Amino acid sequence: MAIRNNHQKSRGLWNTRFGFILAASGSAVGLGNIWKFPYIVGQNGGGAFVLIYILCTIVVGLPIMLAEFTIGRKTSLNPVGAFQSLKPKSHWVKIGYMGVLAGFFILSFYAVVGGWTLAYVVKAFTHTMSNFSSPKEAGQFFGSFIANTWEVLFYHALFMAICVGIVLRGIHGGIEKACKVLMPTLVIILIFLMFRALTLPGAMEGIEFYLKPDFSKIGPQTILIALGQAFFSLSLGMGCMLTYGSYLPEQENLTSATVYVVIFDTIIALLVGMVIFPAVFAMGLEPTEGPSLVFSVLPAVFVGMPFGNLVSIVFFTLLAIAAITSGISLLEVVVAYFIDQRKWDRKKAVLVTSVTIFAFGVPSGLSFGVLSEAKLFDMNFFDHVDNIASNYLLPLGGMLTAIFVGWVWGTKSAEEEIEKHETKFHWGHVWGFLIRYISPVAVFLVFFAKFV
Ligand code: TRP
């Protein structure tokens, strides 16, 4: 016990349960909720997709998140160290390495988009975007911005620097403190935006599209997209939640924390829809635009609405905050590996990894400008890194984590950890069933659907 406590103290611990829940929610709520979710809903027929997404979150996402938290708290280690300590020298340790690698890859392009959000906050402040006459014009503006080498690199570096500034200060003093300020700010901003959007004339049409399920638009492909999105949005499959769980003291209740984080992430995604669809429909535009929905349709939407410039500043600040609290969680996974396994001090780990991740991200940043012609199989560098990490490493990692907990380490050992300090785990058998049978099979289907 004493050894464990000393080890834990030297790595850092969350100060309060609430702080941990905010930090984990901060990791989950990110570009996935605000940038990706609305355009995916827009492309996949609205309400019916939302229902399927919620189902995937509960049936697959929730059990895997609890599994990650449990491994993390049990071992108090980074993903590599955690699998190493539960099954020493086995092939399962590779799940941990895959996770750290995925964290490295995801942050390298996530920070590029994070940089775009910072740039848009500045552009909104300086009224650079207040005279678009059509979404087409806003789209051209976005296109020429992301092609501008120096501007993109500057904001990309700025985003990394902000993450570094936070992660350098450690778990309690850095990540927890930052999330305690940023997450409530995010919620307040979102409520403000929702009021603005819902009081626009014509808003109801958007709400109808968003909430009225039309099952004719649902096919097998839709389910796969929903499951992939649930994974990414909940930060699962690469040991991110595992790492955050490793800073938890023993007496915390893991099941209720999992439920809070999942509910929070889902509610935020749903509320973002309540902002974007009413606004898009009220301005007579289409929500089927795809990835450029947030960066090129919304600025045009804001121009046409009362207090549009303020709304624009506030919206992109929301996007930037969400990206930062997720970026730090990705960086922390890589940093924790070097601290625990390589015995580096935090400062060295943060500086070396972040500079390397930034350097690796540069070709992603330039993928829409000078490197836009550098394509392999019709995808640029950015697309490739995103594809390898999000479509291969994450689902594979999630599926193997579920199999590991369900069949190798065993649900019994996991439940023992969950029930420590007399914590009741009422739905233990349901969870055991989901993690052994449902989650691995569901992820397997998503994964192999890519090949057929
Ligand atoms: N969940 C975040 C989002 O929605 C992104 C993210 C952070 C992530 N950490 C992760 C995704 C780990 C997958 C794995 O934007």
Side-chain angles (χ1 to χ4, degrees), residues 88-100:
K89 301 206 166 62
S90 69
H91 286 299
W92 297 100
V93 180
K94 295 198 177 100
I95 308 177
Y97 281 107
M98 247 171 53
V100 175

Side-chain angles (χ1 to χ4, degrees), residues 155-235:
Y155 285 108
H156 178 193
L158 182 63
F159 183 86
M160 281 306 286
I162 293 173
C163 293
V164 166
I166 296 170
V167 175
L168 263 183
R169 291 179 170 75
I171 300 309
H172 159 57
I175 299 178
E176 185 171 352
K177 260 203 185 130
C179 290
K180 267 189 173 155
V181 178
L182 294 176
M183 293 314 285
T185 313
L186 179 142
V187 172
I188 293 168
I189 290 182
L190 200 52
I191 292 171
F192 163 81
L193 288 173
M194 209 171 64
F195 263 100
R196 176 63 285 206
L198 289 177
T199 50
L200 290 169
M204 277 312 131
E205 213 184 309
I207 292 296
E208 193 162 310
F209 167 80
Y210 184 44
L211 295 182
K212 215 167 154 193
D214 171 7
F215 284 96
S216 68
K217 297 209 178 76
I218 298 296
Q221 190 60 27
T222 334
I223 301 173
L224 304 180
I225 296 174
L227 190 55
Q229 170 64 14
F231 247 73
F232 189 86
S233 185
L234 294 169
S235 300

Side-chain angles (χ1 to χ4, degrees), residues 7 10-11 76-82 96-97 99-105 107 167 239 243 246-247 329-358:
H7 163 72
S10 71
R11 294 177 79 238
S76 303
L77 285 167
N78 66 93
V80 172
Y97 281 107
V100 175
L101 188 71
F104 182 99
F105 277 9
L107 184 54
V167 175
T243 305
S246 77
Y247 304 117
S329 75
L330 289 160
L331 181 56
E332 180 60 28
V333 175
V334 187
V335 166
Y337 165 74
F338 283 99
I339 293 178
D340 294 339
Q341 303 307 111
R342 303 294 176 103
K343 308 292 170 218
W344 290 8
D345 60 36
R346 176 165 286 272
K347 194 166 159 200
K348 178 177 169 192
V350 173
L351 294 178
V352 173
T353 55
S354 60
V355 168
T356 318
I357 292 170
F358 173 74

